[in-house]
Amino acid sequence: MTLLLDLPTLWFLSARTMAVAGEDLPTVQEAATGLYAQAILGLTEEECRKAKDADHISNKTLIDCLAGVRALPREESEKLLTGVMMIAYADRSMKPLEVRWASMLASAIDVTPDIFQRCCVNARIIASMLRPSGGTA
Amino acid sequence: MSKNETNFQFLERFDKRVARLAKQAEKYVHTDPDSCMFKLRLMVETMAKKLTALQMRGDISKDLGAMLGALERSGTLPRRQADTMHAIRRDGNAAVHGSPTPVPTAMRRLSEAYKISGWFCKMMKRGTKIQLDVFDPPDPPVPIDQQTKQLHGQIDALEESIEQRRLATRESLLMFGPQEDVAEVTRRITEELKALDNVAAAAGEPTIDADFVALVMAMDLEQIEEDPRHGVDSRQAKREAEEQLEGIKIHLAQREKEFLAERTFLLEQRSNA
């Protein structure tokens, strides 16, 4: 049986998966992950820390993540997808596994192409605001 | 440590200016902790400029915070050293802007500056082996009384608690927890992703030409941003995101102000006693 995960755990699992798919993990991209969690998803510092506890995240698979994302309320799942696409845009290039992970998430959430495009546009705007991969911070 | 000795003699061989600033900071730590912080901040700034000149190209910001950020992004400055340099920058700025520095705070930063000095030397001369002794705190010029000792103990405890709160904030922002083995997590995720990719391919989904997808997405995005339907949403999203991000920044700045206020309050208690 797949256990449904909470939003903080789902966020960090899906964000780090996108970062890993991008094949490098710059420090500032890491920090952008937490800023997005607190500024846009509205998570508290405590929730963010707990989500990365071994109990919460270490034994969770990507299948668990996809199942959890599917069960999220629509607004939360779209925000999550937007944040994940922000991570993907951080280095201004897309790798095959990044495209695959975006596609799997989009399928799990069952978004229309129109909504997916809107998430991508918003992601790019936020990526440029947080400057995860260049410029002065 | 006696009056004429220094922890920073080894720096002379690598950078005379940084060594001089470190020694001056060491000299002032008991008698004028604010000046100690000025010197430490200048020392960090000098280090950052040297590293920037050595490791990076292009137009580099003159602002110390931005310079440290750029060094971090480039992978030159590891997280631990970055945290230390930012802490010295923050306390140095606070001292410049009139917030009094307690002796234990200056001593803590001096000891941290000692640790990053060893790392800095290795960066300046690759292959250098430096074995740092344990930091030897300079003795006060005159013995301190019991009441001052007690206050220093309180300030040290407060500094420790501030450090812990800053660390908690930092940990909340990062992608991985402090106890996680990042290499192992990365390996596991990559393995799972590749397995899922194979499943998708076996199910008949097309093989992804990432460069082509990226190009199409970029072209699409340009068009979508100009589309009034999405343009309106995007502008609204930007406004909301900016407000939310600003809220977090204000919250973090407020926390730093509260830390300084707690420190000043303790010092004022002493002055009023």
Side-chain angles (χ1 to χ4, degrees), chain A residues 77-86 102 105-106 109 111 116 119:
Chain A
S77 62
E78 285 179 19
K79 279 186 182 173
L80 185 138
L81 182 61
T82 302
V84 170
M85 292 310 293
M86 173 200 76
L105 278 176
I109 295 167
V111 288
F116 182 69
C119 290

Side-chain angles (χ1 to χ4, degrees), chain A residues 12 15-17 19-21 25 27-31 33-35 38-40 45 48-49 52-54 57-58 60-63 66 85 87 89 94-97 99-101 103-104 114 116-118 120-122 124-126 129-137, chain B residues 61 66 69 72-73 79 165 168-177 179-180 182 185-186 188-190 192-194 196-197 200-201 205-208 210-211 213-214 217-218 220-222 224-225 229-230 233-235 237-238 240-242 244-245 248 251-252 255:
Chain A
F12 281 99
R16 62 172 61 172
T17 301
V20 167
L25 294 165
T27 312
V28 186
Q29 183 174 320
E30 277 204 59
T33 309
L35 273 180
Q38 292 177 33
I40 312 292
E45 271 190 23
C48 289
R49 274 200 306 276
K52 289 171 275 182
D53 276 355
I57 208 162
S58 66
K60 304 297 184 298
T61 66
L62 300 190
I63 300 288
L66 291 169
M85 292 310 293
I87 304 284
Y89 287 139
M94 295 285 281
K95 307 270 182 342
L97 286 181
V99 179
R100 184 65 85 199
W101 182 236
S103 156
M104 284 192 277
D114 204 40
F116 182 69
Q117 285 178 338
R118 196 183 66 209
C120 289
V121 173
N122 292 344
R124 200 160 80 149
I125 289 167
I126 295 167
M129 274 168 45
L130 294 177
R131 297 177 191 276
S133 71
T136 56
Chain B
S61 170
E72 256 192 287
R73 276 191 292 276
R79 187 176 302 160
R165 281 179 276 170
T169 298
R170 171 118 199 180
E171 281 175 6
S172 77
L173 290 174
L174 296 177
M175 198 177 275
F176 296 93
Q179 81 293 351
E180 289 190 277
V182 176
V185 174
T186 302
R188 195 164 49 79
I189 289 177
T190 308
E192 275 188 71
L193 259 179
K194 284 183 176 164
L196 288 174
D197 190 43
E205 287 197 28
T207 308
I208 294 165
D211 287 342
V213 170
M217 283 176 83
D220 279 354
L221 281 169
E222 296 300 334
I224 293 164
E225 280 179 321
R229 287 175 304 149
H230 291 301
D233 279 344
S234 304
R235 281 194 291 277
K238 185 177 181 183
E240 283 174 16
E242 273 174 348
Q244 286 164 318
L245 190 60
I248 290 287
H251 166 70
L252 292 176
R255 288 269 306 271

Side-chain angles (χ1 to χ4, degrees), chain B residues 82-93:
Chain B
D83 282 351
T84 299
M85 290 170 108
H86 276 298
I88 291 173
R89 176 185 62 83
R90 264 194 308 263
D91 284 340
N93 287 350

